[in-house]
Amino acid sequence: MDDERRGLLRRSFLGAAAGLAGGAALAQPRGDDAILVPQPHAIALGQPVAATGYGLPSRYERNLQRRESPGLTRVTQSSVSFCPLQGLFGVITPSGLHFERHHQGWWDIDPSQHRLMLNGLVKTPMVFTVEEIMRLSPVSRFHFIECGANTAMEWGNVAVPTVQYTHGMLSCSEFTGVPLRALLEMAGADFTKGRFVLAEGADGSSMTRTIPMELVMSGEVLVAYGQNGEMLRPENGYPLRLVVPGVQGVSWVKYLRRIELGDQPYGTKDETSHYVDLMPDGRHRQYCGIQECKSVVTTPSGGQVLLDQGFYNITGLAWSGRGKVKRVDVSVDGGRNWRGARLEGPVHGKALTRFNLDWSWGGKPAIIQSRAMDDTGYVQPHYKPLRAVRGTRSIYHNNAVQSWLVSESGEVSNVQVA
């Protein structure tokens, strides 16, 4: 495989060079001052140590930022910012680029004044301070979080131009915290009668979500205070949030203030009138929070331009709310032929997985797609079979195969292929 890749690289670059050899730009080679002339940074002292106190990205990377979609909601306090997936490497999302979804705006809460209460079907109701939770034995795990409405605008037809807007309500972090099960055990939870927990946030939207106890009993659900090696950012729920791996982001309640153990679903406002799937027959599907297997090519993707013919690395992200990504196939001809992509390891369960594929572009139109499969055997669907079951008027849980059209000019745009 390595010999095959090296051969492809060599042929691609030689072919590109041959195609440019007759051009005026290469007819009279000239020196490149960027390498021949000493630059200012090579002949002078730089900035002092700890000049900013908290490290920031280079000023040349300012364009890489999360962005809101204008007019998406009536007020920005109840809106979304989209993560720039097209500019990221690996699988970890920098905390400052993590997508946002707020229902009443974000708060920077004083951790010394924040409390977490456990009540309901427990022997001893308890109230924890943040410090008390941080004194307990922690765990750290990598998990993706995806808004249930990610890719929502594409249900009916192409609606937005770039991967930041089609798939950008998605991020992946290392979360640190305490398993919720451990806290419930401390409170003497009735694990026989208790079948659901209600998670409640401290912000003004009164965000409340029902979590099935089978998820809690697995030990996966965390009361988290850490993200990517530091405390949670205020936009991401500081000082405490719930982490519910594989389940849509609305269940990852931010500013977590209360957990109640009960014997039936709570039917809160955000799981009966919102975050439900409208089916073709007019009925709503409720309590459908698992994020099914999904993938997207991030480069080349909409809004980008291929400047020359020759070698390119097709790269993207795959994930599944049911476990690990097992395989990703990539097509450059609209799904007629597929090749297996390379998965960057280690592959974590319910986390983003980076995939790559070598490709030599010859200057002709191409339609690039990716199709993921998880370790349960589930294969990411195309739009036609998905719409046959779900229709076109839904909002949530769109995990259809994404297509990007590369034109002869090298411009990449969003298209849909049935």
Side-chain angles (χ1 to χ4, degrees):
M1 178 61 71
D2 288 340
D3 290 340
E4 181 182 344
R5 289 187 62 204
R6 282 193 290 268
L8 174 61
L9 278 167
R10 185 173 183 275
R11 291 191 299 273
S12 296
F13 284 117
L14 286 177
L20 294 172
L26 294 182
Q28 296 178 344
R30 61 182 178 82
D32 186 342
D33 287 348
I35 194 169
L36 296 178
V37 178
Q39 301 298 303
H41 51 261
I43 57 177
L45 287 173
Q47 298 292 323
V49 171
T52 59
Y54 192 96
L56 299 172
S58 166
R59 55 184 170 144
Y60 300 105
E61 302 298 328
R62 288 175 181 167
N63 194 50
L64 190 70
Q65 56 184 265
R66 52 192 175 194
R67 301 180 186 276
E68 186 187 8
S69 180
L72 186 63
T73 58
R74 291 187 177 183
V75 294
T76 56
Q77 286 84 355
S78 179
S79 192
V80 175
S81 74
F82 298 83
C83 174
L85 301 177
Q86 70 282 358
L88 303 184
F89 311 112
V91 299
I92 297 300
T93 307
S95 297
L97 294 177
H98 194 289
F99 88 92
E100 302 168 87
R101 172 66 171 110
H102 303 303
H103 293 258
Q104 197 255 348
W106 61 269
W107 294 90
D108 194 358
I109 295 174
D110 182 350
S112 69
Q113 299 300 311
H114 189 72
R115 301 290 185 269
L116 173 63
M117 179 170 65
L118 269 64
N119 67 336
L121 297 176
V122 297
K123 185 177 181 180
T124 307
M126 300 184 71
V127 174
F128 294 90
T129 66
V130 174
E131 180 185 1
E132 287 169 340
I133 290 175
M134 294 181 67
R135 288 168 59 188
L136 301 175
S137 298
V139 297
S140 294
R141 298 175 184 145
F142 296 92
H143 291 300
F144 79 84
I145 173 173
E146 181 183 20
C147 180
N150 201 24
T151 324
M153 291 179 282
E154 303 291 297
W155 263 114
N157 209 329
V158 169
V160 289
T162 69
V163 71
Q164 181 163 9
Y165 287 115
T166 60
H167 290 73
M169 286 190 279
L170 169 74
S171 295
C172 185
S173 296
E174 180 187 32
F175 291 99
T176 300
V178 179
L180 176 56
R181 176 176 176 173
L183 297 179
L184 288 171
E185 288 173 346
M186 292 175 65
D190 187 337
F191 291 128
T192 301
K193 294 181 181 178
R195 298 176 54 212
F196 300 90
V197 295
L198 177 74
E200 179 182 281
D203 62 326
S205 70
S206 299
M207 176 56 65
T208 45
R209 296 292 299 184
T210 297
I211 311 296
M213 273 301 289
E214 54 262 31
L215 296 178
V216 177
M217 296 302 289
S218 72
E220 287 189 325
V221 179
L222 303 180
V223 173
Y225 48 81
Q227 179 181 4
N228 295 336
E230 62 180 1
M231 291 295 289
L232 292 162
R233 297 291 177 90
E235 309 98 292
N236 295 323
Y238 179 86
L240 295 176
R241 81 171 304 163
L242 204 62
V243 169
V244 192
V247 175
Q248 61 188 353
V250 67
S251 294
W252 296 43
V253 175
K254 294 183 287 190
Y255 319 112
L256 185 67
R257 68 176 297 272
R258 188 169 70 94
I259 295 289
E260 179 179 321
L261 180 60
D263 59 0
Q264 57 187 323
Y266 284 82
T268 69
K269 64 180 177 62
D270 290 293
E271 52 196 18
T272 54
S273 61
H274 298 289
Y275 295 93
V276 294
D277 294 325
L278 177 61
M279 305 300 282
D281 62 3
R283 291 183 296 173
H284 284 101
R285 185 177 68 166
Q286 294 179 287
Y287 302 108
C288 45
I290 298 294
Q291 299 295 98
E292 300 290 358
C293 189
K294 189 172 178 180
S295 70
V296 65
V297 170
T298 55
T299 299
S301 63
Q304 298 177 348
V305 179
L306 305 187
L307 298 178
D308 298 305
Q309 299 179 30
F311 176 82
Y312 286 91
N313 178 58
I314 296 175
T315 188
L317 297 164
W319 61 100
S320 172
R322 297 193 184 274
K324 293 184 177 181
V325 172
K326 184 177 181 180
R327 179 183 177 91
V328 178
D329 294 320
V330 173
S331 174
V332 295
D333 57 11
R336 289 188 291 272
N337 297 283
W338 297 88
R339 292 169 55 201
R342 300 184 305 279
L343 304 185
E344 289 186 12
V347 176
H348 296 278
K350 302 179 182 179
L352 294 187
T353 297
R354 172 70 61 175
F355 64 86
N356 297 283
L357 184 80
D358 301 331
W359 179 48
S360 182
W361 181 52
K364 296 182 179 180
I367 297 179
I368 301 176
Q369 301 174 323
S370 64
R371 179 183 65 191
M373 179 176 71
D374 64 22
D375 57 4
T376 71
Y378 178 96
V379 178
Q380 181 183 2
H382 289 270
Y383 267 106
K384 186 175 181 179
L386 185 63
R387 285 171 173 155
V389 176
R390 299 282 305 283
T392 60
R393 295 185 297 161
S394 190
I395 296 176
Y396 305 100
H397 307 121
N398 179 359
N399 69 321
V401 167
Q402 171 68 40
S403 303
W404 304 113
L405 171 64
V406 181
S407 67
E408 290 184 359
S409 67
E411 297 180 351
V412 187
S413 57
N414 184 6
V415 296
Q416 287 192 3
V417 177

